[in-house]
Amino acid sequence: MKKIVVYYSMSENVDYVARIIAEKTGADLLRLVPEKAYPDKGLKKFYWGGKAALMGEKPGLEPYVFDKDYDLIIFGSPVWASCFTPPIRTFIADNKEALKDKKFAAYVCCSGSGGQRALNKLKEELNIDGFTVEAIFIDPKDKKGSEEKIETFIKGL
């Protein structure tokens, strides 16, 4: 089964999980990079990121290559205002046809609440009933026990 982790990461938590998944499963990595970076510090970070997520914005992305022959697409996103991030929304919109009839898994990273709502919104955006496996990781780079949760997620793939 050909797998890819499609993700956006600002604080490197999502990237941390993506790299472990790729290493353990042989999945390819596709890190989405917006053409215009979001503020990553202070109040601006929360204001602009939250607004963009809530308003359903679709930012332009730096060029990337996506092979439509993947069987399983694993989405990774931070949680912004209980939503998945706008770069993921752009990717889905840009690849609607290529994503038809695929299997999906997803994980989100956050420091607090909103993870399940973000996953539910991602399911709605993909127009699916559920993921092969889904997970919410709380600050996985810094928390003890994260590796075990990531391993459980990988086993579900």
Side-chain angles (χ1 to χ4, degrees), residues 35-126:
E35 291 173 341
K36 183 179 178 198
Y38 290 97
D40 62 354
K41 291 180 179 63
L43 189 58
K44 283 184 180 181
K45 172 184 175 180
F46 295 102
Y47 176 77
W48 288 108
K51 178 189 96 43
L54 287 171
M55 299 302 290
E57 292 180 7
K58 294 179 186 139
L61 299 175
E62 289 186 5
Y64 61 86
V65 176
F66 176 68
D67 178 354
K68 66 179 180 175
D69 294 330
Y70 288 103
D71 303 300
L72 175 65
I73 294 108
I74 304 158
F75 287 104
S77 176
V79 176
W80 290 359
S82 297
C83 297
F84 61 95
T85 53
I88 298 289
R89 186 179 307 281
T90 300
F91 175 84
I92 293 168
D94 288 351
N95 294 284
K96 272 279 197 234
E97 286 300 312
L99 295 176
K100 284 186 178 177
D101 302 319
K102 303 293 181 187
K103 292 181 182 176
F104 300 104
Y107 68 92
V108 294
C109 297
C110 56
S111 294
S113 62
Q116 191 59 56
R117 287 186 63 204
L119 288 167
N120 291 342
K121 289 176 183 180
L122 182 54
K123 285 183 240 183
E124 288 174 20
E125 189 74 17
L126 290 164

Side-chain angles (χ1 to χ4, degrees), residues 3 6 19 37 73 86 122 157:
K3 300 176 270 314
V6 177
R19 291 184 182 283
I73 294 108
L122 182 54
L157 299 173

